[in-house]
Amino acid sequence: MKIKMSFWIMIIVAMNVCGNSIFSFDGMPLTYYGDDIYGQGMGDTSLSDLFRINTNYHNPANAVTANKVIFSTATTLGYQWYMDENNGYRDNGLFFPYFSLNVPIRNHKFAFSYNSYMAGNLQNEQNLFWTADDGTEYNYTEENKISSNIYKINLLYALKNKYVNIGISADYYFGHEIIFKEMDFDSYGMNDTKYEIEKTFKSAGYTIGLSKRYKNISLGFSYKSKAELTGDEIYRYNFTPGTDTIQDGNNLLEIPATYSTGITIKLLEKLKFSIANHYELWEDTSYDESLENSYKVGFGIAYEPLSGFGNWYEKIPVRMGSYYRTLPFKKNNETIGEKGITFGLSIPFKAPGKRLDLALVYSLRGEVSKHGIRDKNLQLSLGISGFDIFSKRLKKIGHRDIPKADY
């Protein structure tokens, strides 16, 4: 059999999912570590920042920063460029990374969070031909799709106290992985084939977090437990055996235990610096022995002006940062690295604590010289937070008694 590829990779459709990557057929290359849009613009370093209202609930102890009902959500849009040694393609996407709600009752904080946790999505098409033993050449189009997404729901409680803030979260994971392949022959004498494998995941885990602010230093730590995701596998073919095959209750995927640490330092009255690190214990999972422990480390600096002082451009909070991450799986027996630079700013509203956050992230994943393929991403995220949806402004009008003059 001789196979010739006319265009090795051509991405056809941008899927409205949690993220796309050219490495998606090798694993789930995208992982979300809980940073809100403020933290994303600061190098993904919001794990320990207690100097603001922090909605990064990867560390449940961050919930203590809310003094009133806080709603936070965001949307992300941008471009991805995929390339190999000879070709490239630009894709685009739009997705919603998280939603969270925090209801504080004095020093007790109760919160809910929903976000994408892991993802890998891709669709490509190849024009190939097959040469039979008699020399006849058959042209066909091969289409491959993968849609893999895992989501996480958190129900958390945090206690604010003078010694150390404590948070605990009950985590629920759910998601799917769908692999589809189709071979469409130009010749009517050949049978077109296609098949699909669908896996569904679900499981539960927990997260414990600590945070402490002492003068101009803020510390954060969290531990997320390992979770074994079980579910069903469904096989679909248009040839023998033809009928669906379902296997119930298999251990299909494992979420690794993760240790996360961070420190935020307020350098001056208007400046602060943050570092955050995540270490994932993939080698302790059993479903794929080839996986390696991975990590992510980020650095960021922020300028926070004093409210009500200076010209308009001096009142805008800005921040920037960078990060580096390794993926748990390899390509061409080489470790895959991801590096990015970030920039962010906030547009404050008149009401205290209400703002619009923006983050611009440029990242590279993989290297053509080592892995044969590479991702390049440019994403803009917009987030809103600080809106108390359960309270309304107190009316300061009403009946008043007019005092009588003393004679």
Side-chain angles (χ1 to χ4, degrees), residues 116-404:
S116 167
Y117 177 64
M118 297 176 61
N121 300 275
L122 190 66
Q123 179 175 344
N124 66 31
E125 186 177 284
Q126 307 171 35
N127 296 321
L128 310 171
F129 72 85
W130 169 58
T131 303
D133 294 338
D134 61 2
T136 304
E137 185 176 287
Y138 297 96
N139 297 313
Y140 66 94
T141 300
E142 182 180 279
E143 182 179 0
N144 295 275
K145 302 179 188 178
I146 185 167
S147 172
S148 53
N149 296 279
I150 296 177
Y151 307 93
K152 183 170 71 167
I153 293 176
N154 307 93
L155 294 174
L156 63 94
Y157 166 77
L159 175 64
K160 184 176 183 180
N161 64 83
K162 63 181 180 179
Y163 300 107
V164 61
N165 304 313
I166 302 172
I168 186 168
S169 169
D171 307 329
Y172 180 75
Y173 302 93
F174 66 97
H176 68 269
E177 179 186 77
I178 301 174
I179 300 174
F180 174 84
K181 185 171 184 177
E182 181 177 13
M183 301 174 63
D184 185 5
F185 285 88
D186 295 341
S187 174
Y188 290 105
M190 300 293 291
N191 294 325
D192 298 335
T193 61
K194 59 182 178 180
Y195 70 86
E196 180 179 272
I197 302 174
E198 179 181 2
K199 300 178 182 179
T200 57
F201 310 117
K202 58 184 177 180
S203 185
Y206 65 89
T207 302
I208 298 174
L210 303 173
S211 66
K212 174 65 177 179
R213 176 181 171 181
Y214 178 74
K215 296 183 178 179
N216 292 334
I217 298 178
S218 177
L219 302 172
F221 167 83
S222 71
Y223 168 78
K224 182 179 64 62
S225 69
K226 181 173 72 172
E228 297 181 357
L229 275 64
T230 60
D232 301 331
E233 294 181 83
I234 305 175
Y235 300 85
R236 301 182 179 94
Y237 310 88
N238 71 335
F239 51 88
T240 304
T243 57
D244 296 355
T245 302
I246 302 176
Q247 300 177 353
D248 298 325
N250 291 329
N251 182 12
L252 303 178
L253 183 66
E254 288 186 50
I255 299 297
T258 303
Y259 291 93
S260 302
T261 58
I263 181 172
T264 300
I265 303 174
K266 204 161 188 180
L267 301 173
L268 300 171
E269 194 173 26
K270 299 180 182 180
L271 293 177
K272 62 182 176 181
F273 176 77
S274 289
I275 301 175
N277 177 67
H278 307 274
Y279 191 73
E280 300 176 293
L281 303 179
W282 286 99
E283 293 180 7
D284 289 348
T285 61
S286 58
Y287 84 101
D288 189 343
E289 296 181 354
S290 66
L291 297 179
E292 295 183 337
N293 293 342
S294 63
Y295 68 90
K296 180 178 182 180
V297 59
F299 308 87
I301 189 169
Y303 165 75
E304 292 288 337
L306 298 176
S307 178
F309 293 90
N311 297 315
W312 66 269
Y313 55 86
E314 296 177 293
K315 300 178 182 179
I316 299 177
V318 295
R319 46 205 166 264
M320 61 185 301
S322 64
Y323 69 86
Y324 181 80
R325 172 181 172 237
T326 61
L327 274 63
F329 56 87
K330 293 184 177 182
K331 183 73 174 180
N332 293 343
N333 204 33
E334 294 282 351
T335 300
I336 303 171
E338 176 184 332
K339 51 190 174 183
I341 56 175
T342 69
F343 173 80
L345 59 85
S346 297
I347 302 176
F349 297 102
K350 291 183 179 180
K354 298 182 181 180
R355 68 179 190 270
L356 174 66
D357 293 327
L358 295 90
L360 187 66
V361 179
Y362 176 77
S363 63
L364 298 173
R365 186 180 299 113
E367 299 179 33
V368 174
S369 60
K370 291 183 178 180
H371 311 109
I373 53 177
R374 188 185 74 174
D375 279 346
K376 182 169 65 174
N377 303 276
L378 180 64
Q379 295 182 332
L380 174 66
S381 299
L382 298 91
I384 57 173
S385 61
F387 289 87
D388 189 341
I389 60 176
F390 292 103
S391 65
K392 58 184 178 179
R393 186 176 180 181
L394 179 64
K395 292 183 179 181
K396 296 183 179 180
I397 59 174
H399 175 74
R400 294 184 180 180
D401 294 327
I402 300 174
K404 296 181 180 181

